[in-house]
Amino acid sequence: MRHNQGIWDAHVHTHGGCTVDGYLRNGRDNLSASGLDGMNLLCVRLGKSACITDAEALLLKALMPGRFTVYCNPAFQIEEFGSDAEGLHKQILGFAEAGADGVKLGDGEAGENVNLDDPIYDGIFSALEKTDLSALFHVGAAPYIPAQRFFQKNKFPVARPPWLVYTGKQDDDREATSRISRERLAQRHQQIENLLSRHPDARVTFAHFFFKADDLDSMAAFLDHYPNTRIDITPCSDLYYHLSQNPNRSREFFETYSDRLIFGTDNEMELDPVLQIALVRQFLETDESFFCVKYGFDITGIAPLQKETLEKIYRSNFRKMVPGTVINYKKAAAYCEGLYEIVKGFEEMPEENALEVLEVARRFNSMV
């Protein structure tokens, strides 16, 4: 029996460019290290030098059926992909054809000053409704990050292990801060409501509790009004701090909305997965107060939750929404060949990385 058996991580970032076999090895090793049932891989296009990950992720999914799902990321600001509303619509349809399971979206990807209810998003959301793909949308940021404390280090040059020696301000405790004003966050939330009102059938999960963990009544009202939405409980710089302030109220919320909560970690497929998984489980399965090393503040767990509630959050909510599409190898190969034709002309793209896409296409063709 695996340690984290019965859990599917719906929020795992992944990156290509490490050779096709290197990528496949990373996926197998990370899944083995995690002990999870499976992972949802988020393939974000970070620019012209890093926009090929979905090809390798689709191959990993095909080679390990039932263990991985894949969310592709539309390229808003890379014109060669088609970055107007029509082009974005076609990108989503292409993802569906290739065998992807959903779409990853991020606040600001369309441009710093582009509203989230801008017509450019209609192309994406209409495609979501047409294909029945689901989306994971990161909207906003933390309006309040609590004060953080870190392990103290020796500030003098002595013979000590390097992790005990002070390296600068990054080792200092930090005062409370903010990444976005509450007014700006409220505007982004309202823009999302405007967008959802135009696309009520789009199935969207909002990352990091939609940055509403400090106002559970407002979060509840949102979920009540938009029945096709969900929120993931992926840790971030403020989420579990807010949920710890009133554990009884948080527990009540988790029980009431147990059908709408999705487990996620924000892990990177190329890094150790265990810490974030343990953090979320400690919050859900204990009622203890404990120091969270990564975020630098105390967290109080909300146990006891019903066994059925935990099962929904850990696995079934996501898997009912995303059961996993069967990849058509021929269509997946055609998608990768088309991707290669786009990226091979990018000066920013290392030639070796572009050729990885072609190699993925070759392997899919060999599987037909």
Side-chain angles (χ1 to χ4, degrees):
M1 179 177 178
R2 286 177 278 104
H3 175 59
N4 289 313
Q5 187 168 325
I7 301 178
W8 191 287
D9 190 344
H11 195 138
V12 178
H13 292 273
T14 179
H15 310 280
C18 51
T19 75
V20 176
D21 288 324
Y23 182 90
L24 297 176
R25 188 181 79 177
N26 286 347
R28 291 190 297 265
D29 286 350
N30 195 284
L31 185 63
S32 174
S34 73
L36 296 167
D37 286 3
M39 297 177 178
N40 185 42
L41 304 178
L42 308 178
C43 307
V44 178
R45 300 197 196 281
L46 300 174
K48 288 187 175 182
S49 68
C51 57
I52 63 168
T53 307
D54 50 352
E56 292 166 322
L58 288 168
L59 181 60
L60 177 62
K61 172 188 169 180
L63 294 174
M64 298 187 68
R67 305 303 301 275
F68 292 97
T69 51
V70 176
Y71 275 30
C72 298
N73 178 231
F76 283 92
Q77 299 191 57
I78 305 178
E79 294 182 358
E80 290 83 352
F81 282 96
S83 55
D84 58 4
E86 181 181 357
L88 290 164
H89 183 88
K90 290 180 179 179
Q91 286 188 55
I92 306 305
L93 298 183
F95 299 157
E97 278 284 297
D101 302 279
V103 176
K104 171 65 170 72
L105 300 169
D107 196 339
E109 287 181 337
E112 185 177 349
N113 298 316
V114 177
N115 290 341
L116 299 178
D117 55 1
D118 187 276
I120 198 170
Y121 284 97
D122 290 316
I124 294 173
F125 273 65
S126 62
L128 292 176
E129 293 176 303
K130 183 176 182 178
T131 62
D132 203 36
L133 292 180
S134 58
L136 176 65
F137 204 160
H138 180 130
V139 173
Y144 176 79
I145 301 173
Q148 299 170 285
R149 66 185 190 274
F150 299 98
F151 291 128
Q152 298 298 292
K153 307 289 184 67
N154 191 333
K155 294 186 178 182
F156 301 97
V158 295
R160 293 284 182 91
W163 58 86
L164 292 179
V165 177
Y166 180 77
T167 60
K169 289 186 177 181
Q170 62 267 26
D171 291 334
D172 292 338
D173 292 350
R174 300 170 194 168
E175 297 181 354
T177 185
S178 172
R179 288 185 181 155
I180 191 174
S181 70
R182 294 190 182 278
E183 293 75 19
R184 176 63 171 166
L185 182 60
Q187 290 173 359
R188 302 306 262 181
H189 285 158
Q190 183 57 57
Q191 291 162 13
I192 286 295
E193 296 203 41
N194 297 342
L195 182 61
L196 291 174
S197 69
R198 301 200 298 266
H199 301 280
D201 294 327
R203 297 180 304 147
V204 186
T205 299
F206 292 98
H208 308 297
F209 229 80
F210 206 26
F211 293 99
K212 280 180 173 280
D214 60 341
D215 190 350
L216 295 182
D217 291 339
S218 176
M219 187 72 261
F222 178 86
L223 291 173
D224 291 342
H225 193 75
Y226 300 100
N228 283 323
T229 62
R230 295 164 179 80
I231 51 175
D232 81 17
I233 62 170
T234 300
C236 59
S237 56
D238 71 327
L239 173 53
Y240 289 106
Y241 169 82
H242 293 306
L243 294 177
S244 296
Q245 300 310 299
N246 188 340
N248 291 334
R249 175 70 180 100
S250 295
R251 183 186 312 112
E252 175 187 311
F253 181 94
F254 273 62
E255 294 287 7
T256 301
Y257 293 96
S258 61
D259 292 330
R260 311 287 288 280
L261 303 175
I262 305 291
F263 178 90
T265 62
D266 221 359
N267 276 335
E268 309 281 345
M269 196 181 77
E270 299 76 17
L271 299 175
D272 189 336
V274 175
L275 178 62
Q276 288 287 83
I277 298 170
L279 166 59
V280 181
R281 292 196 65 177
Q282 194 170 1
F283 172 75
L284 293 176
E285 298 181 33
T286 80
D287 62 358
E288 66 178 328
S289 293
F290 59 94
F291 176 62
C292 176
V293 176
K294 179 173 182 177
Y295 296 109
F297 50 73
D298 293 328
I299 292 174
T300 300
I302 61 171
L305 292 170
Q306 296 182 60
K307 183 177 180 181
E308 181 184 19
T309 295
L310 289 171
E311 191 276 331
K312 289 177 181 179
I313 294 171
Y314 282 149
R315 181 183 170 95
S316 66
N317 285 345
F318 180 75
R319 293 300 278 159
K320 286 179 181 178
M321 179 177 68
V322 185
T325 59
V326 177
I327 292 182
N328 180 305
Y329 301 148
K330 187 175 182 179
K331 291 181 178 179
Y335 173 81
C336 293
E337 289 165 353
L339 178 59
Y340 173 74
E341 288 301 315
I342 294 174
V343 304
K344 71 178 184 180
F346 292 168
E347 293 182 1
E348 299 88 344
M349 169 69 65
E351 181 181 2
E352 294 82 356
N353 289 172
L355 289 172
E356 290 180 36
V357 182
L358 207 56
E359 172 62 15
V360 172
R362 185 194 67 78
R363 296 193 190 190
F364 271 126
N365 277 320
S366 72
M367 297 162 67
V368 174

